Amino acid sequence: MMSHIPSVIKAHGVHLKASAAMVRLRLYDILALLPPKTYEGSFNALLRELVTEFTLTDNSANTTTSLLRSLCHYDDSVLLGSWLQETDHKSIEDQLQPNSASGSGALEHDPSSIYLRVPVGEAIPGPLPLGVSVIDASVALFGVVFPHVSFKHRLQMLDHFAECIKQAKGVRQQAVQLNIFTAVLSALKGLAENKSSLGPEEVRKSALALVMGALDNSNPILRCAAGEALGRMAQVVGEATFIARMAQYSFDKLKSARDVVSRTGHSLALGCLHRYVGGIGSGQHLKTSVSILLALAQDGTSHEVQTWALHSLALIVDSSGPMYRGYVEPTLSLVLTLLLTVPPSHTEVHQCLGRCLGALITTVGPELQGNSATISTIRSSCLVGCAIMQDHSDSLVQAAAISCLQQLHMFAPRHVNLSSLVPCLCVHLCSSHLLLRRAAVACLRQLAQREAAEVCEYAMSLAKKAGDPKDSTGMNLNITETGLEGVLFGMLDRETDKKLCSDIHDTLGHMLSSLAVEKLSHWLKLCKDVLAASIEAGAAVTLQVGKEEDLEKKDEMDDDIMFTALGEDDKSMPSVAPRWVTRVFAADCLCRIILLCESADKVHFDLAAARSAKLKNPKDDLLVLHLPDLIRMAFMAATDHSNQLRMAGLQALEDIIKKFAAVPEPEFPGHVILEQYQANVGAALRPAFSQDTPSDITAKACQVCSTWIGSGVVSDLNDLRRVHNLLVSSLDKVQSGKGSSSQLYSESATTMEKLAVLKAWAEVYIVAMKIKKEAENKPQREVKSNEEEEDDFGAADVLPPDSLITLVQPELPTLNHLWLAALKDYALLTLPAEFASQLPSDGGAFYTPETIDTARLHYRNSWAPILHAVAVWLNSTGFALNDPSEDMATSLQRGPAAAVHSQPSSSTSPASKTQEDVVKDRIHLLLGVSIEFLCFPRPEEPIEHVTACLQALRTLLDSPCVRTHIAEDQLLGVELLNVLHRLLLTRDPPSVQLQVTGVVWETIRAAQDYLQEQRRAKCKEDASEKDAACMLGEGGDTGGLVPGKSLVFAAMELLVFILVRHLPQLNTKVMDSPSHMPYKPQRLPEESASLVAATVTILADLPSLCSPDGSMTILPTILFLITGVLKETAEKTADNQVPPPVSAALQGIKTIITSPLAKVDKTHKEWTALIRSTLASVLEYSQPDETKPKMDEVSMLTAITLFLLSAGAEIVGVTSLQNGCMNRFRNALNSSDPWVQAKCYQLLLSVLQHSNRALSTPYIHSLAPLVVEKLKAVERSKPNSNTELLAVQEGIKVLETLVAMGEEQNRVQLLALLVTTLISYLLDENAFTSAPPASKGLHEFALQDLMRIGPLYPSAFKTVIGAAPELKSRLETAIRASQASSKAKAAARLAQTTVQAAPTIKLKTSFF
């Protein structure tokens, strides 16, 4: 094509040349984007075209490329003078540069720039002239292609370049040389990026000759490009000999040459060599390079040589790093000398000195904090150098000084005086020089990271000083009472430089993080002023909109003000209203302030506590007290005309609703503080649902709507309906289908909006169903009569629990089909690339094939709540299909759900499917989407999506048909558990782990129900097959569990992982490892405790899924884990509460011991051995030990009692176990803790009352004497607390039980023990009055017990009392005293009622 173009131009005229150039430009641009391998066969023709293009072979004009400066290093700007581009008037300076087309950009050069994306960092003024653009594109493409060209062709091109330069003369030679060097630099850069070599020796020689020739060129730009090319060549070749040869050549030249051009070119060559090869690659040349450059820097005859030498020296210092440490002192000495001796008019020299000083500070680094004499000298020299540069008149030198001070502050912050630096930076913020403002803000950004408070304080002190009439410095400062923060906010409105604005954002961000919570009012006022100013400006504009003449006059007036106010006082200048970018930043700051307050203190979100804190300390500033301002700011932003600001305002509104939704209103109990702002929220949301609103704003507003409705704030049904109607109107838009909406925005935007609406409805529906369920589970309250005392603001305003669901219900038939359609779309869009053929050719329900990539992102944001809502809906309807609008689903479907999990029924049309097929398809769709997501949750995926997915699974598994489906297909359950196990490895929060255990529990329960049904069916078929029915379950006859196919094995893997994560000491391998750190026992956090408890509960249920042999396979592990949990978590608590893991472990032990496995003959022997060894383990763990001072003896004793009561005497009646159990009871009875004694008596009582006397008798014989002895001892030391009293009472109950159990002939002796003990607890009349409450309680208890026992055993009681007269008299005295006391109390009660009776005579006059 390219070869035919010249003949076409010749035939049809020269006017086609521009069109031909545009064709070449487009071709080069496209080829640069494609991989070079795709057009490898056309390299020869392409390179010929490219070389012709930039060597100007067919171009008579001396057009030069605009890329050379950008290909040279940014640091070389001091040599090229390109710092002029870093000014506010860049576009003007660009046009004054020689050999540059910069600044001549205009739209007419390339109209496509109107819609093409501007590359990052490129100037905005428009495309360059076509001739320049084509050369630029050819140079860029040459750099892409060159690394893939053969060495032979590389040599030919380099030789051709040398020939072209030789043949060209004068100005043309300069232009050709500039273009060729740009192309060579582009090629070398491409080689470095591709990590390719330059080629053999002849290629290197040719390239070197080309480059070295330009080092002596009179044009500084070419010398700079040659130095850069030399460094790039050294980087690409990477051979020490080649680098040494180049360095030596420059050394020789510098030693012999006396002309400025050679000295400058070769000194830069040395710097570039070091820059691209690094300190290690060029270390052997360091000494020579430094000595030569130091000598050149002292050449006072030529300031240009000094500039280039110092610049190269700075490059060497930078690249050498610590290797340069030995040369720091002489270099620093030279820098200081030159700063003092070089005239200030030579600003380039001073700039390079500043660069050298900065590089030296970096080299010394953290050593600058030291106190040695050498370091102190270096530090002082650096500070002196900075001070000299700060006093320089040139802004670039001052910027270098600030940069050096910033480096010093980084390494030695204590030695930089902020009290003088910060005011200096504040003054520079008002400078007219961009580079100085940029340096000042960059330094402030660093200072604010560490010392934000000090920085703000010094800035304010400067403002006060400037405002003082006595102070005659006359500084022009804009700092007002808003401080430095206000100045920075103001700068955001004026500055256009991206780097500067980014640094201002960061500086304000650091200040906000450090100071916002302490100075809340100040920061909120700042944000409010910025946001409110936009409203005022908007109002002013609306007032001034009128006739065209008025507008023209206004424009003229603005121009007059602009040009006449320059020399006047600042007050006469019109204030610029904050721009939308600044206002968006202010709204973001508002959101950050809310987050900072949340992490600082919960009092910020408690109105009652905030008010009391404010009363105690009026200086306290708490966020909840500023809620009206927060709502107003969010409202202002959300209703602005700027779309970006509306988005930020809606986000702020959502954050406010989330954080303050639960804050109660202290003055109106039962109400929340946000209720009074219902109208504001509704008014802020309404504009976002208008027809002309962009889709992203409507999508965000839907999110806020769902948050507001679901927050439970709204107490008025009418207010709720207002916001609800907004969602209803947006749902109508969704139903309109893909092609019907007016295409004001792209199809992708429509997809985003529709999915956001469906997501919002899903969230509202989930909350509505949750409220309904909670209301159903609550006990019905009694209906109160309308009494006068009832509060005015009582339950009248509270919404009935079903009001929200009644609002959602009418839309449900439409919603559920839209939700299912969205889920099907999402399922298809998540298919791997190899299944792309399964995607519908005409797109899905909510996306078109053209926007498939952007649609994926929108689906990814919305699918989780939709999945949860569908699961809730299907569960509530029981997967019923009695919906008349079923036909609507078929119109939205773009392929059956089975496309995700291919099913035999997928070939049938939806209309011909049976109800069972549709149910299965829906189950597969929901499970498929869930499992696919949980397999690989992306790191950027919010944790809410994981939680929503797990909640959806739990809800699904609550449905009988899903449980049956999962239980029938065991591999599906195994896959689900394996995926959940994988999820736990990547996601750590306990909330996720709790959800996972919930799903596991539901899966296990489904399998249990299914197995029970199978066993029942087998027994029903044949009653004789009862044993065979018991054998059903995992493990069969062999007891083997196959990993990958066994549900029990998968569950065990997951549950063991959770236990070991929270109780690492359960893993014996880790504990026995020599590298393991000794474990310090510590209490589990509340969430972890709940998690371990849930895990243990599931573990205990796993044997029920196995056959007897299978149970024997897993039981050792399960029992080991449960007893391990008991051992690690059974610790005493202050309130004697049993921790959840302990109660779960005890329940688990009981579940296992009482399971039907105990009655299976085949495994009885193994079962007995297991139970005995488990009891032995518990006995071992409960052994009193100094290392376990906090062990909960009660829990351990409870576990032992469970074994005794449930396992039977023949299993636990072994002598060694029996003795161990008795010892534990004995230890507990002898405990110094009365609570332990009381619980021990209770447990012992349950053992003694066991129906099997063979079990209880040994314990009676062994422990009864000790019980009696303990109870007798109470006579000497009466109880002093209620707990001690409880222990005695429980002990007496044990003794009573022994009496009741005793044989008739022994009853008198046993009763004598009990009666004498009880009578010994009685107090005489004198002692009773002064006795402590516990002793009185014991007296009362003993007396009542004696009165109760007497009638139970009358003859025996008489015998005992008759045998001991002193006991009888003591008992009689106590009874008489008790009766007298009762009579006295009755008389007192009677007297009290008499006193309270109404007087018979009423006074006619009240004297009070």
Side-chain angles (χ1 to χ4, degrees):
M1 179 188 76
M2 300 301 285
S3 58
H4 290 105
I5 284 178
S7 57
V8 172
I9 292 171
K10 198 175 284 183
H12 296 281
V14 185
H15 64 276
L16 288 178
K17 270 191 173 181
S19 303
M22 184 60 79
V23 169
R24 295 201 304 278
L25 174 62
R26 291 284 175 264
L27 178 67
Y28 298 156
D29 285 343
I30 290 166
L31 291 177
L33 296 170
L34 294 172
K37 294 285 181 190
T38 54
Y39 48 92
E40 205 169 10
S42 309
F43 275 176
N44 289 350
L46 177 62
L47 285 167
R48 201 174 300 116
E49 285 291 336
L50 295 177
V51 170
T52 304
E53 203 78 66
F54 60 74
T55 54
L56 309 177
T57 307
D58 296 337
N59 190 348
S60 56
N62 298 327
T63 315
T64 55
T65 177
S66 67
L67 297 178
L68 183 55
R69 289 173 188 277
S70 61
L71 283 169
C72 287
H73 202 279
Y74 176 79
D75 289 342
D76 297 339
S77 60
V78 67
L79 307 179
L80 299 174
S82 54
W83 61 269
L84 288 165
Q85 295 181 315
E86 307 291 347
T87 59
D88 293 314
H89 40 272
K90 174 181 182 301
S91 56
I92 299 169
E93 293 290 350
D94 275 348
Q95 293 178 59
L96 300 174
Q97 292 290 309
N99 301 319
S100 169
S102 299
S104 56
L107 279 177
E108 58 266 25
H109 294 147
D110 185 359
S112 65
S113 61
I114 294 170
Y115 58 83
L116 288 177
R117 197 182 292 275
V118 178
V120 179
E122 192 166 300
I124 305 300
L128 296 171
L130 186 57
V132 179
S133 296
V134 175
I135 294 176
D136 285 353
S138 67
V139 166
L141 183 57
F142 184 76
V144 173
V145 174
F146 190 82
H148 304 275
V149 176
S150 65
F151 295 142
K152 184 179 80 172
H153 288 131
R154 289 185 194 179
L155 180 61
Q156 286 173 359
M157 284 188 290
L158 290 168
D159 289 343
H160 178 64
F161 292 159
E163 190 61 32
C164 287
I165 293 168
K166 195 182 292 179
Q167 286 179 1
K169 299 288 180 246
V171 179
R172 187 170 181 79
Q173 188 184 45
Q174 288 281 332
V176 171
Q177 212 165 354
L178 278 171
N179 290 346
I180 287 173
F181 261 91
T182 311
V184 170
L185 272 176
S186 182
L188 290 170
K189 191 178 178 183
L191 285 170
E193 285 169 357
N194 281 282
K195 294 184 171 59
S196 307
S197 69
L198 181 58
E201 188 62 33
E202 56 268 24
V203 179
R204 294 180 195 174
K205 273 184 181 174
S206 181
L208 201 56
L210 189 67
V211 170
M212 288 300 190
L215 281 175
D216 299 332
N217 196 293
S218 58
N219 187 340
I221 296 177
L222 272 174
R223 293 205 300 277
C224 207
E228 181 77 10
L230 197 65
R232 289 270 185 197
M233 275 176 68
Q235 181 189 23
V236 171
V237 174
E239 289 178 10
T241 51
F242 182 76
I243 296 163
R245 199 163 72 242
M246 288 195 286
Q248 193 58 50
Y249 180 78
S250 290
F251 291 155
D252 295 342
K253 270 280 188 184
L254 287 167
K255 283 173 185 172
S256 59
R258 287 290 168 265
D259 61 304
V260 171
V261 171
S262 296
R263 285 181 150 205
T264 51
H266 287 281
S267 60
L268 179 63
L270 287 180
C272 290
L273 276 177
H274 282 268
R275 171 160 66 196
Y276 283 106
V277 179
I280 296 170
S282 57
Q284 65 271 32
H285 315 297
L286 187 60
K287 187 177 181 182
T288 317
S289 300
V290 172
S291 60
I292 289 175
L293 292 172
L294 285 175
L296 287 171
Q298 294 175 64
D299 181 5
T301 57
S302 170
H303 294 296
E304 192 178 349
V305 172
Q306 281 185 306
T307 303
W308 287 63
L310 286 167
H311 175 66
S312 299
L313 192 60
L315 295 182
I316 291 174
V317 179
D318 260 338
S319 60
S320 300
M323 292 175 67
Y324 198 84
R325 185 64 187 82
Y327 307 97
V328 166
E329 283 85 350
T331 312
L332 194 54
S333 171
L334 175 74
V335 168
L336 274 178
T337 306
L338 292 176
L339 278 171
L340 293 166
T341 54
V342 174
S345 56
H346 299 298
T347 53
E348 288 85 0
V349 179
H350 282 270
Q351 285 172 46
C352 290
L353 286 169
R355 288 237 27 242
C356 278
L357 186 57
L360 289 169
I361 290 169
T362 308
T363 300
V364 182
E367 279 185 68
L368 286 164
Q369 295 179 29
N371 293 318
S372 66
T374 317
I375 294 296
S376 296
T377 308
I378 292 174
R379 194 169 53 233
S380 303
S381 302
C382 292
L383 287 166
V384 168
C386 291
I388 295 168
M389 288 192 293
Q390 274 184 297
D391 285 340
H392 200 282
S393 58
D394 185 72
S395 61
L396 292 174
V397 180
Q398 291 175 1
I402 291 170
S403 199
C404 291
L405 284 167
Q406 187 179 343
Q407 291 287 88
L408 263 174
H409 179 264
M410 184 189 291
F411 296 120
R414 287 185 302 114
H415 300 281
V416 175
N417 185 3
L418 291 186
S419 61
S420 61
L421 175 60
V422 173
C424 170
L425 296 176
C426 292
V427 171
H428 290 323
L429 291 179
C430 307
S431 167
S432 59
H433 300 282
L434 172 64
L435 278 170
L436 192 51
R437 296 199 303 276
R438 201 191 271 177
V441 173
C443 189
L444 280 172
R445 173 177 174 267
Q446 182 179 301
L447 298 177
Q449 274 182 295
R450 293 182 180 180
E451 295 126 342
E454 290 92 323
V455 169
C456 294
E457 203 175 305
Y458 289 131
M460 280 306 288
S461 65
L462 177 69
K464 287 170 189 168
K465 189 178 172 187
D468 187 357
K470 294 175 187 174
D471 186 51
S472 58
T473 52
M475 285 185 290
N476 180 20
L477 284 174
N478 291 332
I479 301 180
T480 59
E481 72 277 356
T482 56
L484 180 58
E485 308 89 286
V487 174
L488 292 172
F489 264 112
M491 285 180 74
L492 283 174
D493 293 323
R494 297 190 302 274
E495 300 295 349
T496 54
D497 183 68
K498 286 183 181 177
K499 177 76 178 76
L500 181 54
C501 288
S502 169
D503 282 347
I504 293 173
H505 283 159
D506 290 346
T507 309
L508 283 168
H510 296 315
M511 289 178 171
L512 189 76
S513 301
S514 304
L515 306 172
V517 177
E518 296 168 23
K519 297 183 175 181
L520 203 52
S521 297
H522 172 66
W523 280 92
L524 287 174
K525 185 179 182 301
L526 263 178
C527 295
K528 189 178 177 184
D529 287 348
V530 172
L531 290 166
S534 67
I535 300 297
E536 289 155 18
V541 169
T542 52
L543 288 170
Q544 287 168 356
V545 170
K547 295 175 184 176
E548 287 183 18
E549 292 86 348
D550 293 344
L551 286 173
E552 285 170 13
K553 283 176 188 172
K554 177 179 174 291
D555 288 343
E556 287 168 17
M557 183 184 73
D558 284 352
D559 290 345
D560 292 343
I561 290 170
M562 189 182 296
F563 289 108
T564 56
L566 287 175
E568 295 173 20
D569 192 64
D570 281 349
K571 289 175 185 174
S572 63
M573 291 176 66
S575 61
V576 179
R579 305 191 193 285
W580 68 264
V581 182
T582 312
R583 286 180 263 145
V584 169
F585 179 68
D588 291 341
C589 287
L590 185 63
C591 296
R592 283 188 65 184
I593 289 169
I594 295 170
L595 279 175
L596 286 166
C597 289
E598 185 183 28
S599 53
D601 194 349
K602 297 296 177 197
V603 182
H604 284 287
F605 301 92
D606 184 340
L607 186 57
R611 282 176 178 168
S612 61
K614 189 81 174 169
L615 284 171
K616 288 176 190 171
N617 183 6
K619 288 185 179 177
D620 270 3
D621 212 359
L622 296 160
L623 188 65
V624 71
L625 302 173
H626 296 280
L627 185 58
D629 284 339
L630 297 181
I631 295 282
R632 175 164 165 69
M633 282 188 268
F635 175 82
M636 285 190 293
T639 53
D640 197 81
H641 59 269
S642 160
N643 290 335
Q644 289 87 343
L645 186 54
R646 289 170 77 181
M647 282 291 283
L650 288 168
Q651 181 61 57
L653 191 59
E654 186 182 3
D655 286 354
I656 291 166
I657 293 167
K658 283 179 179 174
K659 303 297 185 232
F660 289 95
V663 179
E665 173 61 80
E667 293 173 14
F668 301 96
H671 291 256
V672 289
I673 192 172
L674 275 182
E675 280 185 46
Q676 57 194 302
Y677 302 106
Q678 292 177 41
N680 306 56
V681 173
L685 290 171
R686 203 167 296 112
F689 289 90
S690 61
Q691 284 297 319
D692 57 344
T693 304
S695 299
D696 55 343
I697 293 174
T698 307
K700 188 68 194 170
C702 288
Q703 182 66 41
V704 181
C705 277
S706 68
T707 306
W708 177 246
I709 293 172
S711 64
V713 169
V714 186
S715 60
D716 183 359
L717 193 58
N718 291 327
D719 277 317
L720 185 65
R721 210 182 290 279
R722 281 189 208 110
V723 179
H724 166 261
N725 287 339
L726 296 176
L727 281 181
V728 173
S729 66
S730 55
L731 185 59
D732 295 338
K733 204 189 287 187
V734 176
Q735 291 179 71
S736 61
K738 274 191 295 192
S740 60
S741 63
S742 59
Q743 283 300 325
L744 189 61
Y745 300 100
S746 68
E747 293 87 348
S748 172
T750 310
T751 303
M752 173 176 59
E753 184 178 344
K754 290 183 175 182
L755 289 174
V757 171
L758 293 180
K759 178 187 175 186
W761 274 104
E763 288 170 344
V764 171
Y765 177 64
I766 292 162
V767 171
M769 290 299 284
K770 186 182 173 188
I771 293 169
K772 185 184 175 189
K773 194 173 181 182
E774 285 173 358
E776 287 168 357
N777 294 338
K778 274 183 187 173
Q780 290 291 320
R781 291 189 301 177
E782 291 180 21
V783 180
K784 292 182 181 177
S785 59
N786 292 331
E787 296 174 2
E788 290 176 11
E789 293 90 306
E790 196 172 334
D791 287 338
D792 296 334
F793 48 87
D797 289 342
V798 178
L799 284 172
D802 59 345
S803 61
L804 192 51
I805 196 68
T806 52
L807 289 178
V808 182
Q809 204 76 46
E811 316 300 332
L812 262 185
T814 308
L815 281 170
N816 55 49
H817 295 304
L818 293 170
W819 285 337
L820 280 170
L823 274 185
K824 282 172 188 168
D825 282 357
Y826 175 69
L828 289 166
L829 289 173
T830 52
L831 287 173
E834 57 264 30
F835 297 112
S837 58
Q838 294 191 23
L839 292 173
S841 57
D842 58 342
F846 304 110
Y847 72 91
T848 56
E850 298 79 22
T851 59
I852 195 162
D853 291 324
T854 49
R856 277 194 178 94
L857 295 171
H858 304 318
Y859 278 95
R860 203 181 291 163
N861 289 333
S862 308
W863 69 273
I866 293 174
L867 176 77
H868 190 188
V870 170
V872 172
W873 168 66
L874 290 174
N875 185 35
S876 66
T877 58
F879 280 77
L881 297 178
N882 53 358
D883 201 327
S885 59
E886 185 65 29
D887 295 336
M888 186 177 161
T890 58
S891 67
L892 285 165
Q893 285 168 352
R894 291 289 178 272
V900 184
H901 298 275
S902 51
Q903 292 290 315
S905 62
S906 62
S907 60
T908 60
S909 65
S912 63
K913 285 184 181 181
T914 64
Q915 179 167 336
E916 191 180 339
D917 288 338
V918 174
V919 167
K920 275 195 174 181
D921 278 354
R922 287 180 174 181
I923 292 172
H924 279 131
L925 173 64
L926 269 65
L927 286 177
V929 167
S930 304
I931 290 176
E932 188 278 334
F933 169 72
L934 293 174
C935 269
F936 305 101
R938 298 169 197 82
E940 68 274 10
E941 206 78 46
I943 203 73
E944 289 81 15
H945 281 192
V946 180
T947 311
C949 190
L950 291 169
Q951 285 173 334
L953 279 173
R954 282 189 77 171
T955 310
L956 274 180
L957 286 165
D958 201 32
S959 171
C961 60
V962 177
R963 287 165 61 162
T964 308
H965 183 78
I966 274 209
E968 283 174 351
D969 185 359
Q970 186 164 310
L971 286 178
L972 190 57
V974 172
E975 184 185 359
L976 177 59
L977 293 184
N978 286 338
V979 166
L980 292 174
H981 184 198
R982 183 192 179 103
L983 177 72
L984 290 179
L985 292 167
T986 55
R987 296 291 171 125
D988 209 29
S991 57
V992 170
Q993 296 184 17
L994 264 174
Q995 291 281 2
V996 167
T997 51
V999 177
V1000 175
W1001 166 235
E1002 293 288 353
T1003 311
I1004 298 300
R1005 211 168 58 136
Q1008 280 177 329
D1009 294 346
Y1010 183 69
L1011 187 60
Q1012 286 296 109
E1013 196 59 44
Q1014 278 188 311
R1015 286 174 177 167
R1016 208 176 291 120
K1018 191 135 191 170
C1019 288
K1020 205 177 277 183
E1021 282 173 26
D1022 191 350
S1024 62
E1025 291 288 318
K1026 198 167 184 183
D1027 291 341
C1030 291
M1031 295 303 288
L1032 286 175
E1034 287 196 28
D1037 297 332
T1038 59
L1041 302 175
V1042 184
K1045 292 184 179 177
S1046 163
L1047 189 72
V1048 173
F1049 184 84
M1052 290 274 286
E1053 267 190 313
L1054 188 148
L1055 298 170
V1056 168
F1057 171 80
I1058 292 176
L1059 286 179
V1060 172
R1061 170 72 68 89
H1062 293 274
L1063 294 169
Q1065 56 273 34
L1066 290 179
N1067 187 349
T1068 49
K1069 283 186 180 176
V1070 173
M1071 298 302 284
D1072 297 341
S1073 164
S1075 62
H1076 178 69
M1077 298 289 289
Y1079 173 75
K1080 292 179 182 176
Q1082 52 189 14
R1083 246 186 115 185
L1084 284 175
E1086 194 175 333
E1087 281 185 320
S1088 296
S1090 306
L1091 195 56
V1092 170
T1095 307
V1096 168
T1097 306
I1098 301 169
L1099 268 177
D1101 273 335
L1102 288 181
S1104 64
L1105 291 177
C1106 299
S1107 65
D1109 289 295
S1111 297
M1112 289 302 123
T1113 306
I1114 62 168
L1115 266 174
T1117 309
I1118 290 174
L1119 287 167
F1120 169 78
L1121 290 169
I1122 292 178
T1123 52
V1125 169
L1126 185 65
K1127 173 194 171 187
E1128 299 300 338
T1129 57
E1131 290 186 0
K1132 281 182 184 172
T1133 56
D1135 54 357
N1136 291 319
Q1137 290 292 317
V1138 181
V1142 174
S1143 55
L1146 294 172
Q1147 187 58 48
I1149 289 170
K1150 186 177 180 182
T1151 304
I1152 291 169
I1153 298 173
T1154 55
S1155 71
L1157 290 168
K1159 296 168 187 168
V1160 178
D1161 297 333
K1162 183 182 175 185
T1163 54
H1164 185 71
K1165 189 177 177 184
E1166 283 180 75
W1167 169 260
T1168 305
L1170 263 178
I1171 298 300
R1172 283 176 179 168
S1173 63
T1174 310
L1175 177 55
S1177 297
V1178 173
L1179 288 170
E1180 184 189 336
Y1181 297 154
S1182 61
Q1183 180 77 33
D1185 190 353
E1186 290 178 5
T1187 60
K1188 299 182 285 185
K1190 290 187 176 180
M1191 185 186 71
D1192 184 9
E1193 300 162 57
V1194 174
S1195 297
M1196 288 300 187
L1197 206 57
T1198 309
I1200 293 166
T1201 309
L1202 280 174
F1203 278 97
L1204 297 178
L1205 298 178
S1206 308
E1210 68 278 3
I1211 294 179
V1212 294
V1214 186
T1215 312
S1216 59
L1217 293 176
Q1218 204 171 61
N1219 291 341
C1221 294
M1222 288 173 184
N1223 279 336
R1224 297 300 170 271
F1225 275 107
R1226 197 172 285 112
N1227 291 341
L1229 287 172
N1230 288 323
S1231 170
S1232 58
D1233 186 350
W1235 174 256
V1236 174
Q1237 287 182 11
K1239 298 306 284 183
C1240 178
Y1241 284 130
Q1242 289 176 2
L1243 295 168
L1244 184 58
L1245 183 61
S1246 60
V1247 173
L1248 301 184
Q1249 290 174 334
H1250 196 275
S1251 55
N1252 187 348
R1253 293 301 288 270
L1255 176 75
S1256 58
T1257 305
Y1259 289 89
I1260 294 171
H1261 292 165
S1262 172
L1263 299 172
L1266 180 60
V1267 172
V1268 173
E1269 185 188 326
K1270 282 279 174 193
L1271 294 172
K1272 286 280 187 191
V1274 175
E1275 184 184 3
R1276 293 188 299 278
S1277 58
K1278 291 285 194 315
N1280 293 318
S1281 67
N1282 289 337
T1283 315
E1284 289 178 11
L1285 175 60
L1286 178 67
V1288 177
Q1289 290 171 343
E1290 295 297 338
I1292 293 294
K1293 286 178 188 173
V1294 173
L1295 205 50
E1296 283 180 33
T1297 307
L1298 289 173
V1299 171
M1301 289 170 69
E1303 295 169 5
E1304 196 63 44
Q1305 63 267 27
N1306 300 328
R1307 182 141 307 143
V1308 175
Q1309 291 94 319
L1310 289 169
L1311 198 63
L1313 282 173
L1314 176 60
V1315 170
T1316 52
T1317 305
L1318 284 170
I1319 290 175
S1320 71
Y1321 297 162
L1322 297 173
L1323 301 167
D1324 59 29
E1325 282 182 84
N1326 300 327
F1328 186 82
T1329 52
S1330 60
S1335 297
K1336 287 181 183 177
L1338 183 61
H1339 170 91
E1340 300 284 349
F1341 169 76
L1343 187 59
Q1344 287 170 11
D1345 227 23
L1346 285 164
M1347 305 282 275
R1348 187 171 52 77
I1349 290 165
L1352 284 176
Y1353 315 106
S1355 57
F1357 191 77
K1358 280 178 184 174
T1359 309
V1360 171
I1361 291 294
E1366 70 280 2
L1367 293 180
K1368 185 178 179 182
S1369 65
R1370 198 168 172 184
L1371 178 60
E1372 285 173 348
T1373 308
I1375 291 169
R1376 277 196 297 272
S1378 174
Q1379 287 172 346
S1381 172
S1382 299
K1383 281 179 184 173
K1385 282 178 185 173
R1389 270 199 299 274
L1390 190 65
Q1392 196 174 5
T1393 53
T1394 310
V1395 169
Q1396 284 177 350
T1400 52
I1401 302 170
K1402 288 189 178 180
L1403 296 171
K1404 290 184 180 177
T1405 308
S1406 173
F1407 296 98
F1408 301 99

